[in-house]
Amino acid sequence: VGHSHALCRRRSTGTVTSRAMKLDFSVLDAPVRASDVLEAECTREINSDIHAQNFVLPQVDNYDEFQREVVDYVKPNHGTTTLGFIFEGGVIIAVDSRASQGPYISSQTVKKVIEINPYLLGTMAGGAADCQFWQRNLGIQCRLHELTNGKRISVSGASKLLSNTLYGYRGQGLSMGTMVAGWDLNGPGLYYVDSDGSRLKGKRFSVGSGSLFAYGILDQGYKWDLSVDEACELGKRAIYHATFRDAYSGGTISVYHVNEKGWTKMSGTDVGELHYDYYPADPKPEPAAAAAAAPDAGATAMET
């Protein structure tokens, strides 16, 4: 057997040993670029279930009992006043801006209207973090719907997406009472959605600790044929009276109007200024009139 063969054979004590040459074919593989890896990860995230959030639950034996104990420790007290109503000229959304932590006022400048897209608005009532997170998540879902279907999502569809998301987390501690308002091909729309997954369609809603006070003004002054200015004034006045009676509501009143051209912020007014607009202080008597009245008062006192 020749020594130059690819397969070398060695003969010793009557046995033959064969050894094959191993070739490396890795040079034939396509090169992997960092951009390709990033694109694959983004594609996988987009195609995955958007509701599958990576929230890790506490590692305890009895989660329900643990949650009840934590709620007793924290004792969350949520306070706010938001309202929305549909009229002939579109939809009005009015909110306050106060955030509270139990008996303490934590902020006077919370933006309680989430601008989902140019034709959709969401309001916040309940836990501020819950409302902000899930309504921004709703904005992502609405944008994906628009990219997939080539048209803007309806108000009904957006509220249904939020309701489905919250229903999946029902009983896990979320605290939300929101409104989804906007304009689509069917005209104005207004829906109430809460953290239990409930979803209600209506023409007038008020949500929050001061909602009963706001309902009193809203029910009294509401008419279908209100002008835009009258509707904005009604929403502003209803929120003001709620802040006057409810200690957990206050700050600045923001009023939004939604029509076929999209939403517009109409005003942002401090409740302290509105108080003197609605209830001006009694005018003080002029000095001359006060001086003229003084002798008469003295004479009356001497006669008595």
Side-chain angles (χ1 to χ4, degrees):
V1 180
H3 295 284
S4 61
H5 283 272
L7 296 178
C8 300
R9 298 182 179 180
R10 181 178 304 170
R11 180 172 299 178
S12 62
T13 64
T15 58
V16 178
T17 304
S18 300
R19 183 173 60 190
M21 182 182 297
K22 185 177 181 180
L23 300 179
D24 184 9
F25 294 99
S26 61
V27 294
L28 302 178
D29 296 338
V32 179
R33 297 177 297 178
S35 59
D36 295 336
V37 176
L38 180 60
E39 182 179 358
E41 292 178 355
C42 293
T43 303
R44 184 170 60 256
E45 291 180 1
I46 292 175
N47 294 331
S48 63
D49 185 4
I50 195 169
H51 304 302
Q53 303 293 336
N54 295 323
F55 290 148
V56 180
L57 296 178
Q59 300 299 318
V60 295
D61 295 333
N62 191 331
Y63 176 74
D64 293 335
E65 182 179 352
F66 170 80
Q67 189 177 19
R68 285 193 293 269
E69 292 179 358
V70 170
V71 170
D72 290 338
Y73 291 147
V74 178
K75 297 184 183 300
N77 293 322
H78 309 299
T80 187
T81 305
T82 63
L83 66 84
F85 62 89
I86 298 176
F87 70 110
E88 188 177 22
V91 187
I92 292 294
I93 295 292
V95 300
D96 73 319
S97 66
R98 176 174 291 181
S100 57
Q101 292 178 325
Y104 301 101
I105 297 173
S106 57
S107 176
Q108 289 275 69
T109 57
V110 175
K111 187 176 181 180
K112 296 185 180 180
V113 175
I114 305 297
E115 298 155 358
I116 299 172
N117 66 32
Y119 293 86
L120 273 177
L121 295 174
T123 64
M124 292 171 46
D130 295 341
C131 293
Q132 287 182 352
F133 179 87
W134 289 114
Q135 291 204 16
R136 289 194 172 103
N137 177 272
L138 174 62
I140 296 173
Q141 297 184 60
C142 292
R143 180 57 177 160
L144 288 174
H145 178 278
E146 185 175 349
L147 292 173
T148 303
N149 298 281
K151 61 181 180 179
R152 199 170 68 242
I153 193 172
S154 64
V155 183
S156 175
S159 64
K160 188 62 176 177
L161 287 177
L162 180 60
S163 174
N164 290 343
T165 301
L166 298 182
Y167 186 84
Y169 289 94
R170 186 178 58 171
Q172 297 192 26
L174 294 182
S175 176
M176 295 176 61
T178 71
M179 290 179 286
V180 178
W183 192 286
D184 55 26
L185 296 177
N186 299 319
L190 180 63
Y191 290 82
Y192 166 78
V193 182
D194 64 20
S195 49
D196 291 329
S198 301
R199 174 174 168 265
L200 299 175
K201 180 181 180 180
K203 292 187 176 180
R204 279 177 287 174
F205 287 117
S206 183
V207 187
S209 57
S211 61
L212 295 179
F213 308 111
Y215 266 131
I217 303 298
L218 187 59
D219 291 341
Q220 181 186 27
Y222 175 80
K223 293 185 299 182
W224 173 255
D225 57 350
L226 291 170
S227 67
V228 175
D229 292 337
E230 289 173 341
C232 292
E233 176 61 25
L234 175 61
K236 183 166 60 175
R237 189 180 185 95
I239 295 294
Y240 160 74
H241 280 280
T243 64
F244 187 76
R245 294 296 182 183
D246 178 36
Y248 295 101
S249 302
T252 302
I253 299 175
S254 299
V255 180
Y256 286 74
H257 175 227
V258 189
N259 59 13
E260 66 276 6
K261 297 181 180 179
W263 58 261
T264 304
K265 184 173 183 180
M266 304 299 292
S267 64
T269 313
D270 187 271
V271 296
E273 299 175 0
L274 282 179
H275 177 75
Y276 293 102
D277 290 342
Y278 293 142
Y279 300 102
D282 295 333
K284 295 181 180 179
E286 297 181 1
D296 296 338
T300 303
M302 292 179 63
E303 292 175 359
T304 302

